[in-house]
């Protein structure tokens, strides 16, 4: 195995370890460097640990596009490791093959994976198992292996069972906790929803391109030391080695809102040529983290919008991509098109999804991210798929306007939005 290749083994279930051992493969995998690091979401969510310092240094100095090959189901940018730009999904045997080769830039059909002890080239076809070999190993796996692994699932972990649990019908939130905090979604909730109003004088927090995924919006992996979330955890006495991941801290809105749009590969056209969750606060012109800018705008009473291209919110249906957007103070998202679940999630959190009319885009209407936007037509009642007018106020005093479609697709959507989200809608029904 090339020394610059980092390997890990993270099965989805404990029984996988047993049938790898039964098949005689576990020892061979460990010899190659594929040691067990845990079960479930580990490597695929950035929890396999940092890269060796010399590898990290080489990537930075050489501006290398390091790659990950994994047999999971998520290949978002920067998710496996913040220093790894490209992520490819493959079957487990192909993961091992690419690790042996030390590259993804290889034709596995003709180029050798490496050399044998005698110097002879070894190709994939020579080590790939036959169907007969696979079937013989599968025959060794029986139901008893699953029963033995999970017979004591409720009492087989004394460390977990020893955690003290408070009794009562309400959860006891602790201010000192960095993992679980009482969410703020019901703060100031009135018995009746307020009247829907136009969005006036909003600033563009981020101007994004096509195919922005929910992992760009709300990353699940590594928390960078110098990020807003990292600074928050340090202020609470948490060392970097104990940061864990955004996915593990999703019960703490104070971490998650700081992580919104904090993906290290996010490209915000307001800050061209820069990757990461940064923007420019206007009109001051100061560059800062998106969270810090949102807090500045909040203190100034300025509404916010996000503008994007096609397929906004693609990828996994991550609830925090909508929750974090709301908590940043974003009132509306204006995109060329949406991934269907994320559009629904925005509505469910009370964030207005708007869509450019066919053939129009941020570029077509002349948006650079430095404008103020006013959305007219929301006050006085909403209808599914109605059109609104978006007024543009540019820094030089010039203006303009264009039409956009309200992506509240049904009367239910309209009701959720009027109430500020699905949670508020349900609670108001319960109160009545």
């Amino acid at each position: 195995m090339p020394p610059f290749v980092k390997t890990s083994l993270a099965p989805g279930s404990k029984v996988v370890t047993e049938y790898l051992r039964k098949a005689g493969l576990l020892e061979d995998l460990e010899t190659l460097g594929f040691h067990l690091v845990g079960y479930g979401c580990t490597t695929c969510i950035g929890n396999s640990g940092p890269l060796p310092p010399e590898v990290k240094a080489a990537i930075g100095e050489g501006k290398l596009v390091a790659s990950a090959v994994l047999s999971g189901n998520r290949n978002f940018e920067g998710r496996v490791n913040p220093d790894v730009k490209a992520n490819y999904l493959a079957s487990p045997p192909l993961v091992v093959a690419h690790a042996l080769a030390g590259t993804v830039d290889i034709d596995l059909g003709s180029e050798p994976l490496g050399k044998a002890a005698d110097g002879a080239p070894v190709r994939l076809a020579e080590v790939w198992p036959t169907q007969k070999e696979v079937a013989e190993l599968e025959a060794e796996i029986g139901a008893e292996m699953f029963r033995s692994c999970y017979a004591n699932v409720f009492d087989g972990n004394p460390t977990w069972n020893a955690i003290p649990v408070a009794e009562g019908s309400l959860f006891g939130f602790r201010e000192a906790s960095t993992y679980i905090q009482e969410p703020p979604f019901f703060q100031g909730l009135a018995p009746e929803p307020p009247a829907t109003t136009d969005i006036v004088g909003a600033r563009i927090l981020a101007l994004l391109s096509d195919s922005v995924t929910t992992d760009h919006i709300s990353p699940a992996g590594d928390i960078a030391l110098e990020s807003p979330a990292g600074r928050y955890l340090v202020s609470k006495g948490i060392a970097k080695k104990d940061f864990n991941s955004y996915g593990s801290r999703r019960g703490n809105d104070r971490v998650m809102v700081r992580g919104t749009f904090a993906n290290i590969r996010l490209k915000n056209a307001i800050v061209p040529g820069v990757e990461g969750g940064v923007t420019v606060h206007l009109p001051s012109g100061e560059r800062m983290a998106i969270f810090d800018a949102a807090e500045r705008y909040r203190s100034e009473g300025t509404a916010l919008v996000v503008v994007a291209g096609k397929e906004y919110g693609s990828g996994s249906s991550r609830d925090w991509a909508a929750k974090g957007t709301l908590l940043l103070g974003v009132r509306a998202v204006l995109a060329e098109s949406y991934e269907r679940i994320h559009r629904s999630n925005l509505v469910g959190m009370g964030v207005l999804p708007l869509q450019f009319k066919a053939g129009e885009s941020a570029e077509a209407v002349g948006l650079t991210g430095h404008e103020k936007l006013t959305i007219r037509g929301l006050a006085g009642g909403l209808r599914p798929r109605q059109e609104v007018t978006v007024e543009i106020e540019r820094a030089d005093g010039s203006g303009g306007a264009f039409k956009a479609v309200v992506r509240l697709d049904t009367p239910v959507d309209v009701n959720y939005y009027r109430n500020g989200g699905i949670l508020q809608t349900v609670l108001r029904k319960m109160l009545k």
Side-chain angles (χ1 to χ4, degrees):
M1 190 80 68
F4 52 82
V5 174
K6 179 180 173 64
T7 53
S8 62
L9 173 63
S13 164
K14 286 185 177 181
V15 75
V16 176
T17 306
E18 297 309 312
Y19 64 66
L20 287 175
R21 183 179 288 114
K22 178 96 174 164
L25 294 172
L26 192 61
E27 186 176 344
D28 291 336
L29 286 168
E30 290 175 347
T31 300
L32 292 176
F34 286 93
H35 294 276
L36 181 72
V37 295
Y39 298 96
C41 292
T42 52
T43 301
C44 72
I45 203 168
N47 280 341
S48 63
L51 296 176
E54 59 274 18
V55 174
K56 179 180 176 66
I59 292 172
E61 293 168 7
K63 297 182 179 179
L64 305 177
V65 179
S67 300
V69 184
L70 64 153
S71 60
N73 59 359
R74 294 286 186 267
N75 62 344
F76 298 126
E77 295 175 303
R79 172 153 171 164
V80 173
N81 187 283
D83 296 305
V84 175
K85 287 188 176 181
N87 299 276
Y88 298 95
L89 305 183
S91 65
L94 281 178
V95 172
V96 176
H98 280 289
L100 289 168
T103 182
V104 295
D105 186 16
I106 182 175
D107 182 354
L108 293 175
S110 60
E111 298 179 58
L113 298 177
K115 294 181 179 179
D118 61 1
V122 178
R123 289 178 166 77
L124 181 65
E126 299 175 74
V127 297
W128 194 266
T130 65
Q131 285 298 106
K132 181 175 181 294
E133 289 173 319
V134 172
E136 289 173 349
L137 293 176
E138 286 180 337
E140 297 294 320
I141 301 169
E144 183 54 40
M145 298 174 68
F146 290 83
R147 294 191 190 100
S148 63
C149 280
Y150 294 109
N152 62 343
V153 65
F154 293 111
D155 57 9
N157 188 333
T159 303
W160 175 264
N161 292 335
I163 297 174
V165 179
E167 297 182 0
S169 59
L170 297 178
F171 184 81
F173 291 101
R174 294 184 297 111
E175 181 63 28
S177 174
T178 57
Y179 276 96
I180 301 177
Q181 286 293 332
E182 184 174 6
F185 304 120
F186 296 134
Q187 291 178 359
L189 183 71
E192 296 294 333
T196 304
T197 61
D198 292 341
I199 300 172
V200 179
R203 286 290 186 181
I204 300 174
L205 186 63
L207 179 60
L208 308 171
S209 59
D210 298 340
S211 301
V212 170
T213 72
T214 52
D215 205 74
H216 287 114
I217 304 168
S218 183
D222 181 77
I223 301 174
L225 181 63
E226 296 303 322
S227 68
R231 297 197 305 268
Y232 167 81
L233 290 173
V234 168
S235 74
K236 298 298 180 181
I238 308 298
K240 175 65 174 83
K241 66 183 180 65
D242 296 321
F243 275 12
N244 214 320
S245 65
Y246 285 111
S248 299
R249 293 187 180 273
R250 68 183 65 187
N252 187 345
D253 63 279
R254 303 168 194 187
V255 172
M256 298 306 290
V257 67
R258 287 168 170 81
T260 307
F261 295 111
N263 189 294
I264 57 173
R265 302 292 171 227
L266 185 77
K267 297 180 178 67
N268 181 2
I270 300 175
V271 192
V274 177
E275 288 188 336
V278 294
T279 193
V280 172
H281 171 267
L282 297 168
S284 71
E286 295 179 51
R287 181 187 297 186
M288 60 186 69
I290 284 179
F291 170 78
D292 294 334
E295 288 296 284
R296 177 87 68 87
Y297 283 127
R298 189 193 308 276
S299 69
E300 297 166 348
T302 302
L304 297 173
V305 297
V306 169
V307 180
K310 301 179 181 66
E311 299 174 343
Y312 182 76
S314 56
S316 62
S317 54
R318 188 163 303 162
D319 58 339
W320 267 107
K323 290 177 181 176
T325 299
L326 169 74
L327 295 181
L328 283 177
V330 174
R331 297 278 305 279
V333 175
L334 173 62
E336 292 180 57
S337 65
Y338 292 88
E339 193 281 331
R340 62 182 181 85
I341 296 177
H342 185 63
R343 183 207 66 83
S344 295
N345 286 348
L346 288 173
V347 175
M349 292 311 301
V351 178
L352 182 68
L354 298 174
Q355 188 163 321
F356 286 104
K357 300 193 72 174
E360 293 191 339
S361 64
E363 183 178 8
V365 300
L367 296 181
T368 66
H370 291 75
E371 301 81 6
K372 286 184 179 180
L373 301 182
T374 293
I375 301 165
R376 303 284 187 193
L378 304 177
L382 283 170
R383 303 182 312 280
R385 291 269 188 165
Q386 77 176 61
E387 287 189 2
V388 293
T389 300
V390 182
E391 300 172 354
I392 305 171
E393 180 185 337
R394 297 186 172 86
D396 63 4
S398 63
F402 61 93
K403 297 288 187 180
V405 178
V406 172
R407 286 300 311 275
L408 301 175
D409 293 350
T410 67
V412 173
D413 283 350
V414 172
N415 189 39
Y416 287 163
Y417 178 72
R418 285 185 60 253
N419 276 278
I422 188 171
L423 298 174
Q424 293 84 346
T425 304
V426 171
L427 184 57
R428 287 191 173 105
K429 284 184 177 180
M430 292 172 63
L431 292 173
K432 290 179 179 179

